[in-house]
Amino acid sequence: MTAFDRLARPVQKWIRGQGWRELRDIQVRAADAILGRDADVIIAAATAGGKTEAAFLPLLSDVFDRPSDVGGFDLLYIGPLKALITDQAARLTMICDEAELPVTPWHGDIAQSSKARAIKAPRGVLLITPESLEALFVRRGAEIPRLFAATRAVVLDEMHTMLDSERGVQTRSLLTRLDLARGRRLRRIGLSATLGDLNLARAYLQPDNPNSVHLIEADGGESELRLQLKGYTTGAEGDSSAQAQVAQELFTRLRGSDNLVFAGARGQVEFYADALRHLCERQALPQEFYPHHASLSREHRSFVEIRLKNGQLPTTAVCTSTLELGIDIGDIACVAQIGAPFTVSALRQRLGRSGRRAGVPAILRQYAIEAKIEGTSDLSDRLRLRLVRAIAMIELLLENWCEPPRTSALHLSTLVHQILSIIAERGGATAARLFRVLCREGPFRVVDPQTFGAVLRALGNPDTGLIEQAADELLLLGPAGERIVEHYSFYAVFPTPEEYRLLAGGREIGTLPVDNVLAPGMLLIFSGRRWRIVEVDDRDKVISLAPAPGGTVPIFGGDPGDIHDVVIARMFTVLTGDTVPVYLDTAAVQLLEEGRREYKRLGFYRTKIVDQALGAWIVATQTGTAVTTTLALALQSQGFKVQAYDGFLELSHDEADLRSVLQKLADGEMDKIIPRDAILSFEKFHPHLTRDLLIQDALSSRLKADMLTRLCHDLLTK
DNA sequence: GACCTGCTGCGGTTTG
């Protein structure tokens, strides 16, 4: 029997209605893996590869052919974006309509009436965000068994975004809690674009038995890649002529087709969008370059997305990672990347947006901007580290490498969140039960009983007041805990900064972080246009704008990203090598040679520690952000002044000698490596933990203390 | 030296 024959009648009818000649390869393989078996499945294929159908055609067939006799949702889908859920729900409704099976999208923008209907008579497919599922546990904990008693499988969309994140840990915890509430494990089906390490993805679904997860990967189909890296040099400091040249190049190359330009930061997006608009206006050409980032209004972003998807008018979105994943935006001619990104996986994901049709090459235009060398130029400029990183990332991309998730992280902030959530779900819980659910069966397996006890004590501290113990050992929410859990902002595990709302002509055009110092009369570039600030309302955090002829780009802030050890190691291979990649233009070749010359001149080809002057050194750690930052903190706590770069530290000290301090570190003679004033609170629930716990959390995720002695030993001997 | 994601229940008012 063919895969098609095994599908239910309504599903076959829908497939014929689509005019499909045959099922795609992954759809056939998914049908085989899903129908009549019960193993977990991962379906990995590029965007628009028919993954959703591959999972749902067999899953729905099972629901149609063997309807359940108890109430409850038949299938659960968890997606990371509201827009994705709305999109997928519309697609599934077409398949389910015929058989009158309800499809319920559920997120913050869905009307309460439709949610109430679904709760009253749960059936069919529920598509939900992690946050809304969290809210169901907190607000309707007692009803969870009824709602999901009959559920046959959960589909996890865009699974690669979940592997290493707080949100991914939250989702895994919710699934464990769902299993326990039902008294039966729910089958997991993961959908993903290209995954770096498939075994880690399997372990995400089944930590105890990763090999039992059935893997379906779309074979080959990798289209040809056309690649170019162009180098640019700025003039004196504060000069933006190189950026203007890149804008001119983008204008010439991209006009007339659909493209994505990843500019790296929201401020940069605004700069290039403004420059490109200006170039169009000067030549009296219609506008086709639009900014796209998270601070712009939903309305503006939808406008750009729809323009891209329609394919009627040529459209280039200058964007941040907002357009890395999510809804289908149609065929893209080329992906441009200004400056190197922080991860190879982001680069790969971005490139996946181009050249998706068979026979059409994917095109990557990479731009590297370096500063003119002056007396005051820093190490990063002199070694041309931006260009070098861009090359290292492209090389690793071509080798199909990408960053693995860090599985040792404790995720203590999310652990606090889940402790509060379980207590709210059940109206109370014992410490033993919390530990069993979260740390033995759930995702917090690297948290040992001692650490878990310390977390509970921190939350139970009368000054914190998040939880308290009743006479029968039951843990309950304290007054502060109740306040936090009752507020709707509780459901997300990630923090949200405070922002101004920007109004123009009475309409909201976006938001700005409050750390911008803004006053009436100041000029602003925002949403690809120029404005004058009319009024700042500090109480309600509202700023009114009027059109203006000039402006400057605002500050959006942000934290520096972590660069992996493998990327830094490759940067050193590039710096010490003498081959010139074929995809570099003349200016980039010139810049690479300048960087390599400077590396030799500093003397790094024979040592890793270079003496600059009395009490000043440059150290080539040759390690990623986590290890390099660990050494930087350890030296800071010994009174060193430290400046960190990709794989390098610039150090100075009035009295101490670097080599003898490194020797002490290499011998493991120092236990205090975190300075007293180090900032350790980054995640949403970190403020409720003790400093010792924050240090433990940082050491498990952002730092690497276990590598420190070896690094110091290496620095002294090589 | 960065980016992104998400959100309930209730009381009041308006409209058909």
Side-chain angles (χ1 to χ4, degrees):
Chain A
M1 206 156 51
T2 66
F4 180 85
D5 295 332
R6 296 174 64 195
L7 296 172
R9 292 292 297 275
V11 172
Q12 293 179 343
K13 192 169 170 195
W14 177 82
I15 292 173
R16 283 198 208 94
Q18 294 302 103
W20 292 1
R21 289 261 189 81
E22 55 186 359
L23 292 176
R24 293 191 194 188
D25 174 57
I26 53 159
Q27 291 164 344
V28 171
R29 286 157 65 200
D32 286 341
I34 290 172
L35 284 172
R37 302 193 203 184
D38 53 13
D40 289 355
V41 178
I42 290 176
I43 305 173
T47 332
K51 286 191 295 279
T52 313
E53 286 79 6
F56 274 100
L57 297 182
L59 287 172
L60 287 170
S61 289
D62 186 55
V63 175
F64 293 143
D65 285 345
R66 299 189 305 118
S68 122
D69 43 13
V70 281
F73 296 110
D74 297 293
L75 294 168
L76 172 64
Y77 163 106
I78 302 179
L81 305 171
K82 290 187 288 190
L84 194 59
I85 284 175
T86 307
D87 236 40
Q88 303 281 42
R91 286 164 73 181
L92 291 180
T93 301
M94 313 244 218
I95 310 177
C96 295
D97 243 15
E98 176 87 15
E100 292 186 341
L101 192 75
V103 172
T104 309
W106 185 305
H107 54 67
D109 298 345
I110 300 290
Q112 271 191 38
S113 52
S114 107
K115 293 178 183 171
R117 251 197 322 277
I119 289 282
K120 209 169 148 203
R123 266 187 74 221
V125 189
L126 174 70
L127 301 99
I128 196 164
T129 59
E131 287 73 18
S132 285
L133 185 57
E134 183 81 55
L136 278 180
F137 271 94
V138 172
R139 304 270 169 191
R140 303 175 181 273
E143 295 179 72
I144 293 286
R146 173 179 73 85
L147 295 173
F148 297 100
T151 311
R152 301 163 199 225
V154 53
V155 175
L156 298 166
D157 206 354
E158 304 278 14
M159 188 182 142
H160 57 284
T161 64
M162 296 292 208
L163 296 183
D164 204 15
S165 65
E166 298 301 320
R167 223 174 164 204
V169 173
Q170 173 190 28
T171 304
R172 213 150 46 133
S173 178
L174 290 170
L175 290 178
T176 309
R177 292 165 62 187
L178 200 52
D179 289 344
L180 292 169
R182 287 158 33 96
R184 208 152 37 94
R185 189 177 182 278
L186 193 55
R187 183 185 197 186
R188 282 113 162 112
I189 312 284
L191 307 185
S192 182
T194 40
L195 283 160
D197 186 331
L198 290 160
N199 286 323
L200 286 163
R202 286 169 144 178
Y204 180 90
L205 293 188
Q206 284 238 17
D208 297 321
N209 194 6
N211 288 333
S212 71
V213 178
H214 193 110
L215 201 61
I216 299 172
E217 254 189 302
D219 39 34
E222 298 259 322
S223 56
E224 178 200 348
L225 171 62
R226 288 197 199 150
L227 176 62
Q228 183 180 45
L229 192 164
K230 295 188 111 175
Y232 294 83
T233 313
T234 58
E237 197 177 320
D239 158 281
S240 58
S241 58
Q243 285 173 295
Q245 285 174 50
V246 171
Q248 180 64 55
E249 163 81 6
L250 293 171
F251 179 75
T252 315
R253 300 283 173 193
L254 306 187
R255 216 163 52 78
S257 56
D258 287 355
N259 308 279
L260 296 180
V261 177
F262 289 95
R266 285 169 286 178
Q268 292 295 302
V269 166
E270 290 292 348
F271 175 89
Y272 286 103
D274 180 68
L276 287 160
R277 160 179 285 272
H278 200 66
L279 287 168
C280 286
E281 278 170 3
R282 226 176 37 197
Q283 300 193 23
L285 291 165
Q287 197 46 240
E288 58 178 272
F289 297 92
Y290 297 94
H292 193 286
H293 57 74
S295 297
L296 297 172
S297 70
R298 187 62 249 171
E299 207 181 1
H300 172 86
R301 286 166 63 179
S302 301
F303 160 77
V304 182
E305 289 157 20
I306 290 166
R307 232 185 106 124
L308 276 168
K309 195 172 179 170
N310 276 352
Q312 304 284 327
L313 294 165
T315 305
T316 292
V318 187
C319 59
T320 56
S321 49
T322 39
L323 288 178
E324 234 172 71
L325 53 97
I327 59 159
D328 190 5
I329 47 166
D331 287 321
I332 293 298
C334 138
V335 169
Q337 170 73 43
I338 306 174
F342 287 92
T343 62
V344 178
S345 47
L347 187 60
R348 178 198 281 220
Q349 189 72 30
R350 290 169 188 185
L351 199 56
R353 288 289 193 170
S354 151
R356 302 180 329 194
R357 273 180 310 172
V360 180
I363 299 177
L364 174 64
R365 295 180 181 278
Q366 170 80 51
Y367 300 98
I369 298 177
E370 288 289 345
K372 182 181 171 193
I373 301 300
E374 295 169 303
T376 54
S377 294
D378 70 15
L379 188 69
S380 169
D381 286 337
R382 285 184 277 142
L383 289 170
R384 303 306 192 194
L385 291 186
R386 276 174 289 262
L387 170 81
V388 171
R389 191 165 96 220
I391 295 173
M393 293 211 156
I394 288 174
E395 299 282 312
L396 289 167
L397 175 86
L398 294 174
E399 290 166 25
N400 260 328
W401 179 87
C402 76
E403 290 80 4
R406 233 181 122 175
T407 47
S408 61
L410 292 167
H411 298 288
L412 293 187
S413 168
T414 302
L415 178 62
V416 170
H417 182 260
Q418 287 299 295
I419 289 170
L420 298 178
S421 175
I422 292 180
I423 295 176
E425 171 198 346
R426 309 179 61 89
T430 62
R433 182 182 166 90
L434 289 170
F435 184 77
R436 183 168 69 84
V437 174
L438 294 169
C439 306
R440 233 183 344 252
E441 309 203 10
F444 301 95
R445 300 189 180 203
V446 285
V447 176
D448 58 36
Q450 288 74 23
T451 309
F452 188 74
V455 170
L456 287 185
R457 279 193 298 281
L459 302 184
N461 181 324
D463 296 338
T464 322
L466 289 188
I467 60 175
E468 51 194 35
Q469 195 159 32
D472 54 358
E473 301 221 312
L474 214 56
L475 298 171
L476 307 171
L477 293 177
E482 295 224 325
R483 262 198 310 280
I484 291 179
V485 172
E486 271 168 22
H487 196 265
Y488 65 73
S489 61
F490 174 70
Y491 311 118
V493 288
F494 48 86
T496 339
E498 207 187 348
E499 291 177 320
Y500 287 113
R501 293 189 301 131
L502 299 183
L503 299 185
R507 288 158 78 103
E508 183 168 331
I509 63 165
T511 59
L512 264 191
V514 292
D515 35 342
N516 277 282
V517 180
L518 300 170
M522 287 169 68
L523 299 175
L524 203 62
I525 289 176
F526 189 86
S527 200
R529 290 167 183 277
R530 297 169 171 206
W531 310 95
R532 183 173 52 81
I533 297 176
V534 181
E535 199 189 336
V536 178
D537 179 345
D538 263 318
R539 206 182 51 115
D540 292 337
K541 298 279 176 278
V542 174
I543 291 175
S544 324
L545 306 170
T552 49
V553 169
I555 298 157
F556 288 96
D559 335 297
D562 273 7
I563 310 220
H564 196 272
D565 288 334
V566 169
V567 175
I568 301 286
R570 183 58 58 95
M571 286 176 66
F572 278 86
T573 312
V574 172
L575 274 172
T576 53
D578 51 14
T579 53
V580 174
V582 291
Y583 48 83
L584 301 193
D585 78 339
T586 327
V589 171
Q590 169 82 26
L591 288 167
L592 176 59
E593 277 166 4
E594 286 171 19
R596 284 174 168 170
R597 256 201 314 275
E598 180 68 7
Y599 187 81
K600 283 212 180 84
R601 195 191 67 78
L602 286 166
F604 280 118
Y605 58 95
R606 47 190 157 78
T607 175
K608 287 184 168 180
I609 304 176
V610 167
D611 294 76
Q612 284 292 87
L614 195 64
W617 306 265
I618 304 174
V619 172
T621 64
Q622 304 201 9
T623 57
T625 314
V627 183
T628 301
T629 309
T630 311
L631 178 61
L633 286 177
L635 292 172
Q636 258 169 14
S637 56
Q638 296 302 310
F640 282 83
K641 287 207 188 75
V642 182
Q643 177 69 49
Y645 305 95
D646 285 1
F648 291 93
L649 289 176
E650 219 165 31
L651 301 157
S652 63
H653 200 298
D654 291 341
E655 293 147 28
D657 175 59
L658 175 66
R659 287 181 179 81
S660 47
V661 174
L662 287 175
Q663 189 62 59
K664 274 198 221 166
L665 282 167
D667 296 343
E669 280 176 32
M670 282 180 212
D671 48 355
K672 290 272 177 291
I673 57 162
I674 313 275
R676 211 165 323 170
D677 55 357
I679 296 171
L680 296 166
S681 180
F682 303 99
E683 306 290 347
K684 187 169 174 184
F685 293 91
H686 272 162
H688 307 294
L689 294 172
T690 61
R691 189 163 174 81
D692 281 347
L693 285 168
L694 292 182
I695 290 176
Q696 241 184 295
D697 202 40
L699 289 174
S700 77
S701 55
R702 310 173 75 94
L703 304 173
K704 279 189 188 169
D706 51 336
M707 300 290 288
L708 192 56
T709 53
R710 217 181 83 195
L711 170 63
C712 294
H713 186 258
D714 276 4
L715 291 177
L716 291 166
T717 51
K718 286 179 192 168

